[in-house]
Amino acid sequence: MHLSRAARPAYQALSAFSKTVGGIAAENGIDDRLKELVQIHASQLNGCAYCVRVHVERAVAAGITADDIAQLPVWRESGVFSERERAGLELAEAYVYIHEEGIPDEVYDSVGGVLSEKEYVALSWILVSINAFNRIALAGRYSTPPRDDLVGEDKDAATGAAW
């Protein structure tokens, strides 16, 4: 069941929400590099191959290297990420596992010590958005065929127009 096709108005509303969130992020100092890194990492943790593909493509377009992307699963041990990026990745993990204990005080404090309130809020909305898209793709069992076969993929995602 391809949820975005089966209930197009709901998907369009979420897509519009995502675009609004992207604007808020840009207005509040979240650059494309940080935005894509946290979305890839959240998608990896949620097991959403579809969204990983979409955001890796966007990351590459934003100038993020293959090495940086490869370091995401081991970001705590890696030295390639800035303090801001590390804060964003920590927040991404907290949002993926929010069902376990909310946002732990130590995460709130450490991330809040690096990011401004506006940056924290903007990144939070990005994470709410990507977690919603992850769930749509996972619940809908979206396929992730080899890269040269875009025929079966959502046109919006293939062009990067929706999210």
Side-chain angles (χ1 to χ4, degrees), residues 49-68:
Y50 188 86
C51 293
V52 167
R53 172 177 283 159
V54 169
H55 290 284
V56 164
E57 286 184 357
R58 291 182 183 182
V60 169
I64 300 172
T65 68
D67 182 61
D68 291 343

Side-chain angles (χ1 to χ4, degrees), residues 1-12 136 139-142 154 156:
M1 177 67 57
H2 202 287
L3 295 178
S4 66
R5 291 185 187 132
R8 195 73 185 153
Y11 181 81
Q12 289 170 332
I136 290 168
R141 297 183 178 182
Y142 287 19
D154 183 329
D156 290 338

